[in-house]
Amino acid sequence: MTTILFENPIFLQHETPEGHPERPDRLRALNLALEHDRFQPLVRRRAEQANEDFVLLAHPEAHLRSVMDVIPEEGINHFEADTYASPASLQAALTGVGGAIAAVDAVFSGEADNVFVAARPPGHHAEKNKAMGFCFFNNAAIAARHAQKAHGAERVAIVDWDVHHGNGTQDIFFDDPSVLFCSTHQMPLYPGTGAKDETGAGNIVNAPLSPETGSDHFREAFRSRVLPRVADFRPDLIVISAGFDAHHRDPLAQIHLQADDFDWATAKLMEIAERSASNRVVSVLEGGYDLQGLAESAATHIFRLMRG
Ligand SMILES: [Zn+2]
């Protein structure tokens, strides 16, 4: 497998207040883990800032404007209680979008089999019209739309294993059967959506997990609810909203996964991608707030992408 990692130092310049879990150290911790020799074959590329038009693949112009309005000239401003912006945040968010777009281009051109985009801020809580839950623009949704618009993908599956429900992605594709959205997440937990009966146009699959459950429940939900739907959908591309906050060390949730569970889930999705999508997988970083849990889990996920 050829795996590309998209990164950019601008992602460290999106600042949040002292003590905020979504902090630059997350990417520093991942970078340290990726210094291991086994990551030598990983192709590391610089994500470039996307033209603002790409944001409009998943959000109306009013949303883009409202994000721009919140960016401060100095210090830190906020959208709502937990979602903050610093002077470099717009550039960072647009570079995350740029990474997601370039990732899709790389797997459709054959330059890579799969790609991991190590960006922040994350994206999956960003609804069509709303920045929330640390997220500005929905990178996974933009990637899916770009695959359809620029590369003729007919069906894109987005699998979201972040411990929080991907309400933003669900909102964007709720009435669009060309995109399958499958999510495992703790419930109850922020943002409160993600019940089994939220099914959209039959293209939304929610597999909520009870607090204090672990690997067995996660794998069972994945095996019984997520994998069969993704396989039946025969996607041309699989996008992973890769949050690692279901790791047992994570401070924001109570699901007890191990790094190995992310390896397992990655391998299962890669099997489907091999059958229907010429291996194409684009994985974008979402949450994960314990530095050790995040670094270990994301590194395990990336190493699986590299090995096939
Ligand atoms: Zn999360």
Side-chain angles (χ1 to χ4, degrees):
M1 292 282 163
T2 302
T3 301
I4 295 177
L5 172 78
F6 277 103
E7 55 194 343
N8 189 311
I10 191 71
F11 296 137
L12 300 173
Q13 289 179 42
H14 163 57
E15 291 168 35
T16 51
E18 187 73 36
H20 195 284
E22 204 294 281
R23 59 208 191 275
D25 279 351
R26 298 175 60 231
L27 291 183
R28 294 192 183 103
L30 174 57
N31 261 323
L32 272 178
L34 294 179
E35 281 178 12
H36 192 279
D37 280 351
R38 67 181 175 153
F39 294 104
Q40 211 105 56
L42 184 62
V43 182
R44 300 179 75 145
R45 290 273 165 78
R46 193 183 162 95
E48 300 296 341
Q49 190 175 327
N51 182 298
E52 289 156 15
D53 290 346
F54 285 106
V55 173
L56 307 182
L57 288 169
H59 302 279
E61 190 153 0
H63 175 71
L64 175 63
R65 298 291 149 212
S66 75
V67 169
M68 288 171 152
D69 286 347
V70 173
I71 307 296
E73 280 182 28
E74 55 184 50
I76 292 179
N77 198 2
H78 64 97
F79 294 92
E80 55 168 32
D82 61 0
T83 307
Y84 295 89
S86 65
S89 293
L90 181 66
Q91 218 185 323
L94 286 172
T95 305
V97 171
I101 295 288
V104 169
D105 291 341
V107 296
F108 278 96
S109 71
E111 192 187 356
D113 295 294
N114 54 50
V115 181
F116 186 76
V117 185
R120 54 182 293 279
H124 74 147
H125 292 305
E127 298 186 344
K128 279 180 209 154
N129 281 300
K130 194 172 184 203
M132 60 181 277
F134 320 157
C135 301
F136 296 23
F137 305 133
N138 198 312
N139 299 323
I142 291 168
R145 288 269 199 247
H146 178 64
Q148 293 183 315
K149 199 173 163 194
H151 298 285
E154 289 177 11
R155 291 173 308 281
V156 180
I158 303 177
V159 177
D160 184 332
W161 66 49
D162 188 281
V163 83
H164 303 94
H165 180 238
N167 61 295
T169 315
Q170 173 169 303
D171 174 59
I172 290 163
F173 297 112
F174 204 69
D175 53 8
D176 180 353
S178 72
V179 174
L180 177 74
F181 175 64
C182 301
S183 175
T184 56
H185 46 272
Q186 179 177 322
M187 195 167 203
L189 190 66
Y190 180 91
T193 48
K196 277 186 182 172
D197 63 3
E198 296 163 23
T199 55
N203 62 317
I204 306 289
V205 181
N206 284 311
L209 305 167
S210 301
E212 309 300 346
T213 55
S215 302
D216 292 351
H217 282 83
F218 169 74
R219 292 191 188 205
E220 171 52 26
F222 219 73
R223 209 182 270 121
S224 67
R225 290 181 64 77
V226 173
L227 294 171
R229 289 296 302 271
V230 178
D232 286 352
F233 191 63
R234 299 196 54 76
D236 301 307
L237 168 69
I238 296 178
V239 176
I240 303 176
S241 260
F244 299 97
D245 39 11
H247 189 275
H248 68 95
R249 290 179 56 96
D250 199 275
L252 297 195
Q254 296 79 40
I255 299 291
H256 305 298
L257 299 193
Q258 313 281 338
D260 186 49
D261 293 306
F262 298 106
D263 175 69
W264 175 84
T266 306
K268 291 291 178 197
L269 292 175
M270 289 177 80
E271 283 172 22
I272 299 174
E274 184 183 9
R275 289 202 300 273
S276 83
S278 307
N279 293 318
R280 290 184 286 263
V281 174
V282 165
S283 178
V284 296
L285 179 63
E286 303 285 1
Y289 304 103
D290 175 78
L291 298 182
Q292 185 187 322
L294 167 68
E296 192 183 298
S297 303
T300 301
H301 167 61
I302 292 167
F303 193 53
R304 173 56 62 187
L305 288 175
M306 293 165 62
R307 269 183 308 169

